[in-house]
PDB file of all heavy atoms in Angstrom:
ATOM      1  N   GLU A 627      96.451 140.728  62.052  1.00 96.00           N
ATOM      2  CA  GLU A 627      95.246 139.983  62.437  1.00 96.00           C
ATOM      3  C   GLU A 627      95.567 138.477  62.506  1.00 96.00           C
ATOM      4  O   GLU A 627      95.206 137.786  63.464  1.00 96.00           O
ATOM      5  CB  GLU A 627      94.147 140.237  61.395  1.00 96.00           C
ATOM      6  CG  GLU A 627      92.866 139.456  61.625  1.00 96.00           C
ATOM      7  CD  GLU A 627      91.940 139.527  60.415  1.00 96.00           C
ATOM      8  OE1 GLU A 627      91.976 140.525  59.661  1.00 96.00           O
ATOM      9  OE2 GLU A 627      91.188 138.551  60.199  1.00 96.00           O
ATOM     10  N   LEU A 628      96.273 137.974  61.489  1.00 96.00           N
ATOM     11  CA  LEU A 628      96.665 136.566  61.461  1.00 96.00           C
ATOM     12  C   LEU A 628      97.672 136.251  62.575  1.00 96.00           C
ATOM     13  O   LEU A 628      97.636 135.174  63.180  1.00 96.00           O
ATOM     14  CB  LEU A 628      97.261 136.200  60.097  1.00 96.00           C
ATOM     15  CG  LEU A 628      96.277 136.140  58.925  1.00 96.00           C
ATOM     16  CD1 LEU A 628      97.026 136.007  57.594  1.00 96.00           C
ATOM     17  CD2 LEU A 628      95.298 134.974  59.082  1.00 96.00           C
ATOM     18  N   HIS A 629      98.558 137.210  62.854  1.00 97.00           N
ATOM     19  CA  HIS A 629      99.558 137.025  63.905  1.00 97.00           C
ATOM     20  C   HIS A 629      98.888 136.744  65.252  1.00 97.00           C
ATOM     21  O   HIS A 629      99.241 135.781  65.947  1.00 97.00           O
ATOM     22  CB  HIS A 629     100.452 138.269  64.013  1.00 97.00           C
ATOM     23  CG  HIS A 629     101.297 138.292  65.252  1.00 97.00           C
ATOM     24  ND1 HIS A 629     102.386 137.480  65.423  1.00 97.00           N
ATOM     25  CD2 HIS A 629     101.188 139.029  66.402  1.00 97.00           C
ATOM     26  CE1 HIS A 629     102.925 137.706  66.613  1.00 97.00           C
ATOM     27  NE2 HIS A 629     102.219 138.653  67.227  1.00 97.00           N
ATOM     28  N   PHE A 630      97.918 137.555  65.601  1.00 96.00           N
ATOM     29  CA  PHE A 630      97.259 137.374  66.902  1.00 96.00           C
ATOM     30  C   PHE A 630      96.373 136.127  66.922  1.00 96.00           C
ATOM     31  O   PHE A 630      96.235 135.470  67.957  1.00 96.00           O
ATOM     32  CB  PHE A 630      96.446 138.630  67.262  1.00 96.00           C
ATOM     33  CG  PHE A 630      97.314 139.771  67.703  1.00 96.00           C
ATOM     34  CD1 PHE A 630      97.521 140.869  66.878  1.00 96.00           C
ATOM     35  CD2 PHE A 630      97.958 139.741  68.940  1.00 96.00           C
ATOM     36  CE1 PHE A 630      98.348 141.928  67.283  1.00 96.00           C
ATOM     37  CE2 PHE A 630      98.775 140.782  69.346  1.00 96.00           C
ATOM     38  CZ  PHE A 630      98.979 141.880  68.514  1.00 96.00           C
ATOM     39  N   LYS A 631      95.808 135.777  65.762  1.00 96.00           N
ATOM     40  CA  LYS A 631      94.995 134.549  65.663  1.00 96.00           C
ATOM     41  C   LYS A 631      95.853 133.320  65.975  1.00 96.00           C
ATOM     42  O   LYS A 631      95.456 132.451  66.779  1.00 96.00           O
ATOM     43  CB  LYS A 631      94.403 134.444  64.246  1.00 96.00           C
ATOM     44  CG  LYS A 631      93.747 133.104  63.938  1.00 96.00           C
ATOM     45  CD  LYS A 631      93.320 133.026  62.472  1.00 96.00           C
ATOM     46  CE  LYS A 631      92.914 131.609  62.081  1.00 96.00           C
ATOM     47  NZ  LYS A 631      92.504 131.511  60.658  1.00 96.00           N
ATOM     48  N   TYR A 632      97.018 133.241  65.353  1.00 96.00           N
ATOM     49  CA  TYR A 632      97.879 132.062  65.536  1.00 96.00           C
ATOM     50  C   TYR A 632      98.643 132.108  66.855  1.00 96.00           C
ATOM     51  O   TYR A 632      98.945 131.060  67.433  1.00 96.00           O
ATOM     52  CB  TYR A 632      98.825 131.900  64.343  1.00 96.00           C
ATOM     53  CG  TYR A 632      98.109 131.283  63.155  1.00 96.00           C
ATOM     54  CD1 TYR A 632      97.593 132.079  62.135  1.00 96.00           C
ATOM     55  CD2 TYR A 632      97.901 129.914  63.099  1.00 96.00           C
ATOM     56  CE1 TYR A 632      96.896 131.524  61.076  1.00 96.00           C
ATOM     57  CE2 TYR A 632      97.206 129.334  62.049  1.00 96.00           C
ATOM     58  CZ  TYR A 632      96.705 130.136  61.027  1.00 96.00           C
ATOM     59  OH  TYR A 632      96.010 129.572  59.984  1.00 96.00           O
ATOM     60  N   LEU A 633      98.911 133.314  67.354  1.00 96.00           N
ATOM     61  CA  LEU A 633      99.569 133.435  68.666  1.00 96.00           C
ATOM     62  C   LEU A 633      98.671 132.844  69.750  1.00 96.00           C
ATOM     63  O   LEU A 633      99.129 132.094  70.625  1.00 96.00           O
ATOM     64  CB  LEU A 633      99.880 134.907  68.970  1.00 96.00           C
ATOM     65  CG  LEU A 633     100.579 135.191  70.305  1.00 96.00           C
ATOM     66  CD1 LEU A 633     101.946 134.507  70.364  1.00 96.00           C
ATOM     67  CD2 LEU A 633     100.719 136.693  70.534  1.00 96.00           C
ATOM     68  N   GLU A 634      97.381 133.139  69.668  1.00 96.00           N
ATOM     69  CA  GLU A 634      96.419 132.616  70.642  1.00 96.00           C
ATOM     70  C   GLU A 634      96.347 131.087  70.567  1.00 96.00           C
ATOM     71  O   GLU A 634      96.320 130.398  71.593  1.00 96.00           O
ATOM     72  CB  GLU A 634      95.032 133.222  70.373  1.00 96.00           C
ATOM     73  CG  GLU A 634      93.992 132.818  71.400  1.00 96.00           C
ATOM     74  CD  GLU A 634      92.611 133.408  71.107  1.00 96.00           C
ATOM     75  OE1 GLU A 634      92.494 134.236  70.173  1.00 96.00           O
ATOM     76  OE2 GLU A 634      91.654 133.020  71.807  1.00 96.00           O
ATOM     77  N   ALA A 635      96.326 130.545  69.324  1.00 95.00           N
ATOM     78  CA  ALA A 635      96.247 129.085  69.141  1.00 95.00           C
ATOM     79  C   ALA A 635      97.480 128.394  69.730  1.00 95.00           C
ATOM     80  O   ALA A 635      97.371 127.356  70.394  1.00 95.00           O
ATOM     81  CB  ALA A 635      96.115 128.753  67.656  1.00 95.00           C
ATOM     82  N   VAL A 636      98.650 128.992  69.519  1.00 96.00           N
ATOM     83  CA  VAL A 636      99.899 128.401  70.021  1.00 96.00           C
ATOM     84  C   VAL A 636      99.971 128.496  71.541  1.00 96.00           C
ATOM     85  O   VAL A 636     100.419 127.559  72.212  1.00 96.00           O
ATOM     86  CB  VAL A 636     101.126 129.076  69.358  1.00 96.00           C
ATOM     87  CG1 VAL A 636     102.429 128.626  70.013  1.00 96.00           C
ATOM     88  CG2 VAL A 636     101.157 128.760  67.865  1.00 96.00           C
ATOM     89  N   GLN A 637      99.509 129.616  72.090  1.00 95.00           N
ATOM     90  CA  GLN A 637      99.520 129.769  73.550  1.00 95.00           C
ATOM     91  C   GLN A 637      98.623 128.734  74.227  1.00 95.00           C
ATOM     92  O   GLN A 637      98.966 128.205  75.290  1.00 95.00           O
ATOM     93  CB  GLN A 637      99.091 131.193  73.927  1.00 95.00           C
ATOM     94  CG  GLN A 637     100.190 132.226  73.664  1.00 95.00           C
ATOM     95  CD  GLN A 637      99.716 133.664  73.841  1.00 95.00           C
ATOM     96  OE1 GLN A 637      98.510 133.947  73.799  1.00 95.00           O
ATOM     97  NE2 GLN A 637     100.652 134.584  74.022  1.00 95.00           N
ATOM     98  N   LEU A 638      97.484 128.420  73.597  1.00 96.00           N
ATOM     99  CA  LEU A 638      96.591 127.382  74.132  1.00 96.00           C
ATOM    100  C   LEU A 638      97.281 126.014  74.106  1.00 96.00           C
ATOM    101  O   LEU A 638      97.200 125.243  75.066  1.00 96.00           O
ATOM    102  CB  LEU A 638      95.292 127.316  73.310  1.00 96.00           C
ATOM    103  CG  LEU A 638      94.212 128.346  73.630  1.00 96.00           C
ATOM    104  CD1 LEU A 638      93.094 128.283  72.597  1.00 96.00           C
ATOM    105  CD2 LEU A 638      93.634 128.083  75.026  1.00 96.00           C
ATOM    106  N   ALA A 639      97.962 125.725  72.979  1.00 95.00           N
ATOM    107  CA  ALA A 639      98.683 124.447  72.852  1.00 95.00           C
ATOM    108  C   ALA A 639      99.810 124.364  73.876  1.00 95.00           C
ATOM    109  O   ALA A 639     100.027 123.318  74.498  1.00 95.00           O
ATOM    110  CB  ALA A 639      99.239 124.304  71.434  1.00 95.00           C
ATOM    111  N   ASP A 640     100.522 125.492  74.073  1.00 94.00           N
ATOM    112  CA  ASP A 640     101.622 125.525  75.055  1.00 94.00           C
ATOM    113  C   ASP A 640     101.113 125.246  76.470  1.00 94.00           C
ATOM    114  O   ASP A 640     101.765 124.555  77.251  1.00 94.00           O
ATOM    115  CB  ASP A 640     102.323 126.891  75.017  1.00 94.00           C
ATOM    116  CG  ASP A 640     103.216 127.045  73.784  1.00 94.00           C
ATOM    117  OD1 ASP A 640     103.478 126.027  73.125  1.00 94.00           O
ATOM    118  OD2 ASP A 640     103.650 128.178  73.506  1.00 94.00           O
ATOM    119  N   GLY A 673      99.854 125.425  64.995  1.00 95.00           N
ATOM    120  CA  GLY A 673      99.902 126.732  64.332  1.00 95.00           C
ATOM    121  C   GLY A 673     101.213 127.471  64.490  1.00 95.00           C
ATOM    122  O   GLY A 673     101.380 128.579  63.975  1.00 95.00           O
ATOM    123  N   LEU A 677     102.712 130.831  62.545  1.00 97.00           N
ATOM    124  CA  LEU A 677     103.078 131.987  63.380  1.00 97.00           C
ATOM    125  C   LEU A 677     104.517 132.416  63.098  1.00 97.00           C
ATOM    126  O   LEU A 677     104.809 133.615  63.011  1.00 97.00           O
ATOM    127  CB  LEU A 677     102.901 131.627  64.864  1.00 97.00           C
ATOM    128  CG  LEU A 677     103.209 132.740  65.879  1.00 97.00           C
ATOM    129  CD1 LEU A 677     102.269 133.930  65.686  1.00 97.00           C
ATOM    130  CD2 LEU A 677     103.098 132.194  67.306  1.00 97.00           C
ATOM    131  N   LEU A 680     104.572 134.281  59.829  1.00 97.00           N
ATOM    132  CA  LEU A 680     103.992 135.624  59.995  1.00 97.00           C
ATOM    133  C   LEU A 680     104.981 136.566  60.675  1.00 97.00           C
ATOM    134  O   LEU A 680     105.134 137.730  60.260  1.00 97.00           O
ATOM    135  CB  LEU A 680     102.698 135.533  60.806  1.00 97.00           C
ATOM    136  CG  LEU A 680     101.516 134.841  60.089  1.00 97.00           C
ATOM    137  CD1 LEU A 680     100.456 134.405  61.090  1.00 97.00           C
ATOM    138  CD2 LEU A 680     100.908 135.758  59.028  1.00 97.00           C
ATOM    139  N   CYS A 681     105.664 136.068  61.706  1.00 97.00           N
ATOM    140  CA  CYS A 681     106.663 136.888  62.401  1.00 97.00           C
ATOM    141  C   CYS A 681     107.832 137.216  61.467  1.00 97.00           C
ATOM    142  O   CYS A 681     108.362 138.336  61.493  1.00 97.00           O
ATOM    143  CB  CYS A 681     107.168 136.171  63.654  1.00 97.00           C
ATOM    144  SG  CYS A 681     105.949 136.101  64.987  1.00 97.00           S
ATOM    145  N   LEU A 703     100.809 146.272  67.213  1.00 94.00           N
ATOM    146  CA  LEU A 703     101.306 145.478  68.340  1.00 94.00           C
ATOM    147  C   LEU A 703     100.946 146.155  69.664  1.00 94.00           C
ATOM    148  O   LEU A 703     100.442 145.516  70.598  1.00 94.00           O
ATOM    149  CB  LEU A 703     102.827 145.303  68.252  1.00 94.00           C
ATOM    150  CG  LEU A 703     103.379 144.125  67.447  1.00 94.00           C
ATOM    151  CD1 LEU A 703     104.898 144.167  67.416  1.00 94.00           C
ATOM    152  CD2 LEU A 703     102.914 142.778  68.001  1.00 94.00           C
ATOM    153  N   GLY A 707      98.024 144.965  72.617  1.00 90.00           N
ATOM    154  CA  GLY A 707      98.728 144.399  73.764  1.00 90.00           C
ATOM    155  C   GLY A 707      99.762 143.365  73.378  1.00 90.00           C
ATOM    156  O   GLY A 707     100.079 142.467  74.172  1.00 90.00           O
ATOM    157  N   GLY A 708     100.263 143.470  72.156  1.00 89.00           N
ATOM    158  CA  GLY A 708     101.299 142.550  71.698  1.00 89.00           C
ATOM    159  C   GLY A 708     102.654 142.968  72.239  1.00 89.00           C
ATOM    160  O   GLY A 708     102.777 143.936  72.990  1.00 89.00           O
ATOM    161  N   SER A 709     103.675 142.209  71.846  1.00 90.00           N
ATOM    162  CA  SER A 709     104.999 142.481  72.397  1.00 90.00           C
ATOM    163  C   SER A 709     106.087 142.164  71.380  1.00 90.00           C
ATOM    164  O   SER A 709     106.075 141.095  70.759  1.00 90.00           O
ATOM    165  CB  SER A 709     105.193 141.632  73.663  1.00 90.00           C
ATOM    166  OG  SER A 709     106.562 141.544  73.996  1.00 90.00           O
ATOM    167  N   VAL A 712     107.941 139.032  72.405  1.00 94.00           N
ATOM    168  CA  VAL A 712     107.335 137.750  72.004  1.00 94.00           C
ATOM    169  C   VAL A 712     107.730 137.408  70.576  1.00 94.00           C
ATOM    170  O   VAL A 712     108.092 136.261  70.265  1.00 94.00           O
ATOM    171  CB  VAL A 712     105.791 137.799  72.138  1.00 94.00           C
ATOM    172  CG1 VAL A 712     105.146 136.574  71.482  1.00 94.00           C
ATOM    173  CG2 VAL A 712     105.382 137.869  73.602  1.00 94.00           C
ATOM    174  N   VAL A 713     107.677 138.407  69.692  1.00 95.00           N
ATOM    175  CA  VAL A 713     108.052 138.190  68.281  1.00 95.00           C
ATOM    176  C   VAL A 713     109.509 137.745  68.193  1.00 95.00           C
ATOM    177  O   VAL A 713     109.841 136.792  67.459  1.00 95.00           O
ATOM    178  CB  VAL A 713     107.827 139.473  67.443  1.00 95.00           C
ATOM    179  CG1 VAL A 713     108.340 139.280  66.011  1.00 95.00           C
ATOM    180  CG2 VAL A 713     106.356 139.860  67.439  1.00 95.00           C
ATOM    181  N   ILE A 716     109.865 134.104  69.304  1.00 95.00           N
ATOM    182  CA  ILE A 716     109.374 133.169  68.273  1.00 95.00           C
ATOM    183  C   ILE A 716     110.405 133.019  67.152  1.00 95.00           C
ATOM    184  O   ILE A 716     110.689 131.911  66.682  1.00 95.00           O
ATOM    185  CB  ILE A 716     108.016 133.655  67.702  1.00 95.00           C
ATOM    186  CG1 ILE A 716     106.924 133.539  68.775  1.00 95.00           C
ATOM    187  CG2 ILE A 716     107.619 132.856  66.455  1.00 95.00           C
ATOM    188  CD1 ILE A 716     105.659 134.305  68.468  1.00 95.00           C
TER     189      ILE A 716
END
Side-chain angles (χ1 to χ4, degrees):
E627 176 192 332
L628 289 170
H629 167 73
F630 285 107
K631 170 186 169 180
Y632 281 97
L633 180 62
E634 184 181 353
V636 172
Q637 285 172 340
L638 279 171
D640 285 347
L677 181 62
L680 291 162
C681 288
L703 272 177
S709 162
V712 169
V713 175
I716 292 165

